[in-house]
Amino acid sequence: MINWLLALAQTLLFIAMAPFLLGWIKRVKCHMQNRAAPSLWQPYRDLGKLFRKHVVLAEQASWIFRATPYIVFGVTVLCAALVPLVAVDLPTAAIADVIVLVAFFSLARFFTALAGMDIGTAFGGMGSSRDMMIGALAEPVLLMAVFTMAMTASTTNISEATTYTLNSGLVLRPSFIFAMLGLMMVAVAETGRVPVDNPATHLELTMVHEAMILEYSGRHLALIEWAGQIKLMIYMVLVANVFFPWGIATELTANDLAVGFIAIAAKLVLLGVVLVMWETVMAKMRLFRVPQFLGFAFLLSLLGMLTHVVLETGG
Amino acid sequence: MEFTQLSLYDQAILLLAAIVLFTSFIMLAQPRIVPLIHAFAWQGVWLAVTTALVAYVTDHPHLYISAGMTLALKALLIPWMLHRLAVRLNIHRDIEAVRYPSMTLLAGASLVVFSYYVAIPIVQLSELVTRNAIAISIAVILLGMLLMITRKKAISQVIGFMSIENGLFFSAMVSTFGMPMVVELGVAFDVLVAAVLFGVFFFQMRESIDSLDVDRLNRLREVDE
């Protein structure tokens, strides 16, 4: 029982921390670019503002358009429940593995793309087609990176894989480095960050994710934005906890949980800085160069798997 | 033997081997001339680091000399010469259109699988710590060949050739802890002389066909048709 409560608390913490993480990323980015930074709480304020506003719906909007924000948010919260944040071995992690996680993400993507086309504006359809292209290329990369991890830990369960890495101590695995780089590149593409997409602009030539959700307003937009923030955090936590699980709580005592929380917070802060540095030095690339970018990410995760077979199992 | 049972140094050797392989892929994916030369230089650096580490772990002091030579020649001198050539030929800003870049990379990945199968019998017979890296070294050789096949510019082909040499050196190092010093010195100076000759060759080529595109050599005719 207490395990389930803890798992619930962890998921809630996940959802609550996600806007904060985005605020941190924005803040570091502003500092890097010599701009005055908004407060760390600004994403919460934005969400609150959107929740208070009325929803403006197009006349042609079908139930898909109205249901999509709830589906996307619900699915993302389910994903957040699957990823160990401060503690491993929680009951929610045992239910589903990482392949389910990938499938959940593509479910959310499917509905966002449908909703983008539902209203019938040009932008929505354009954004949907672009997003499906990126998704079709990003998913194999994600799965390949995950399989590399699964082959090493001989499980597809994230929680068990984390425990495995934690128990094997410091091992310099070439495959993990490649899989991590591939996962990071695909995370950048999937969460719509620079260089694949730019969440901060509404420029019709370049926008992908923003184009799909252009017609949303009020609480619908708030849910979608919040889901996007949670998704970003899920990817960062995946990178942080699967590849550098040190500090995560293995026993459910208050002390361990506190250490786990501090550890994951520190790792996310660091990863945020890495992400910002990457985004600051990269320019947004043309849409037609995205397949090349993701092709390289695929190569990285493929190399991860190959080096696992060639270097780590032989002899 | 399980990977986790190896010592950290042995793991580091395999990790560095993977990084050497990775630089080969970077070269394969890099269409610009100057970053291509830089990637080649980095391959030399990692090769030298790997060699030094192997020398330390397996207690073969003569490998330190090989490492130093690799660093001096393949990481510093030859890239510097190629870079200067590229600037003097005014091609350092050129972008070389690689047809089907993703297909090339996938072909590279399948070459890695192929070299793994080729290396299996050697790996099973060997008792060395570095035996798993033999497949990697074969892959580096084949990737250098693939680079030569897919590129048209003479300078990229030269870099592919040099990277084949890197792979040969690497395979000698991981399979028998280095060639005899005489052979190694000879090869190193051969490569150096080749780099110098290639420089002359580039200028001759540009003189006669006004380009470094090797495909245009096919069109040379004694008599106009």
Side-chain angles (χ1 to χ4, degrees), chain A residues 171-173 177 300 302 311, chain B residues 3-4 11 14-15 22 109 132:
Chain A
V171 183
L172 302 170
R173 285 184 188 282
I177 290 184
L300 275 174
L302 194 64
L311 289 177
Chain B
F3 190 71
T4 41
Q11 289 172 9
L14 295 182
L15 180 68
F22 180 55
N132 282 341

Side-chain angles (χ1 to χ4, degrees), chain A residues 189-210:
Chain A
E190 286 253 330
T191 53
R193 316 277 317 174
V194 177
V196 176
D197 187 6
N198 191 347
T201 70
H202 281 92
L203 184 67
E204 63 266 31
L205 278 176
T206 61
M207 59 188 181
V208 179
H209 187 248
E210 296 300 315

Side-chain angles (χ1 to χ4, degrees), chain A:
Chain A
M1 189 62 206
I2 183 86
N3 284 6
W4 281 99
L5 280 179
L6 266 175
L8 191 68
Q10 178 175 275
T11 313
L12 287 178
L13 183 70
F14 215 118
I15 300 164
M17 261 173 75
F20 192 77
L21 182 68
L22 190 77
W24 165 253
I25 289 172
K26 278 192 175 156
R27 194 181 177 84
V28 181
K29 196 166 194 175
C30 286
H31 277 300
M32 287 281 240
Q33 300 174 341
N34 277 335
R35 292 185 286 143
S39 146
L40 282 175
W41 307 103
Q42 191 60 41
Y44 292 98
R45 285 187 209 136
D46 290 345
L47 286 180
K49 182 187 75 184
L50 286 173
F51 270 118
R52 281 195 302 275
K53 284 195 170 182
H54 280 289
V55 172
V56 182
L57 266 184
E59 276 175 30
Q60 289 83 8
S62 71
W63 64 270
I64 291 180
F65 190 78
R66 270 168 284 136
T68 294
Y70 301 101
I71 294 173
V72 169
F73 188 75
V75 162
T76 317
V77 168
L78 273 178
C79 290
L82 298 182
V83 179
L85 182 69
V86 289
V88 285
D89 287 337
L90 286 177
T92 43
I95 300 172
D97 63 3
V98 73
I99 298 170
V100 176
L101 189 82
V102 177
F104 272 166
F105 277 141
S106 49
L107 183 70
R109 182 192 291 278
F110 174 68
F111 271 98
T112 330
L114 276 190
M117 292 188 290
D118 189 52
I119 298 287
T121 61
F123 273 150
M126 191 186 69
S128 300
S129 71
R130 288 177 176 178
D131 198 51
M132 290 323 271
M133 181 194 84
I134 294 176
L137 293 166
E139 232 153 71
V141 187
L142 192 55
L143 280 174
M144 197 62 102
V146 160
F147 287 151
T148 308
M149 181 202 82
M151 275 173 84
T152 311
S154 26
T155 169
T156 50
N157 189 302
I158 309 172
S159 195
E160 280 172 33
T162 308
T163 321
Y164 175 84
T165 349
L166 196 61
N167 289 339
S168 54
L170 178 63
V171 183
L172 302 170
R173 285 184 188 282
S175 63
F176 268 29
I177 290 184
F178 288 131
M180 189 182 76
L181 288 176
L183 188 64
M184 279 173 158
M185 280 173 85
V186 86
V188 161
E190 286 253 330
T191 53
R193 316 277 317 174
V194 177
V196 176
D197 187 6
N198 191 347
T201 70
H202 281 92
L203 184 67
E204 63 266 31
L205 278 176
T206 61
M207 59 188 181
V208 179
H209 187 248
E210 296 300 315
M212 281 192 295
I213 60 169
L214 205 57
E215 298 292 324
Y216 277 112
S217 54
R219 58 173 189 279
H220 289 161
L221 183 59
L223 282 176
I224 288 196
E225 297 261 312
W226 202 356
Q229 292 160 7
I230 298 172
K231 192 174 178 186
L232 177 66
M233 183 154 160
I234 288 175
Y235 273 103
M236 289 173 82
V237 169
L238 264 185
V239 170
N241 271 350
V242 172
F243 297 107
F244 311 100
W246 300 292
I248 198 166
T250 44
E251 281 163 36
L252 304 175
T253 60
N255 196 13
D256 269 20
L257 289 177
V259 170
F261 179 73
I262 293 168
I264 189 65
K267 280 183 261 183
L268 287 181
V269 162
L270 269 178
L271 265 182
V273 174
V274 171
L275 179 71
V276 167
M277 277 160 65
W278 157 270
E279 286 195 348
T280 312
V281 297
M282 293 290 276
K284 164 89 179 66
M285 60 171 76
R286 282 190 309 143
L287 188 73
F288 296 108
R289 281 198 55 208
V290 170
Q292 220 175 324
F293 176 82
L294 288 170
F296 194 70
F298 183 72
L299 174 84
L300 275 174
S301 14
L302 194 64
L303 269 186
M305 189 174 264
L306 290 181
T307 46
H308 172 76
V309 174
V310 174
L311 289 177
E312 292 170 18
T313 56

Side-chain angles (χ1 to χ4, degrees), chain B residues 2 4 9 20 39 54 58 71 102 107 116 122 134 145 162 166 190 224:
Chain B
E2 272 295 303
T4 41
Y9 284 121
V20 171
V54 170
T58 61
L71 189 71
S102 305
Y116 172 61
I122 313 171
I134 293 172
M145 289 184 185
M162 298 283 175
N166 274 352
D190 269 359
D224 284 337

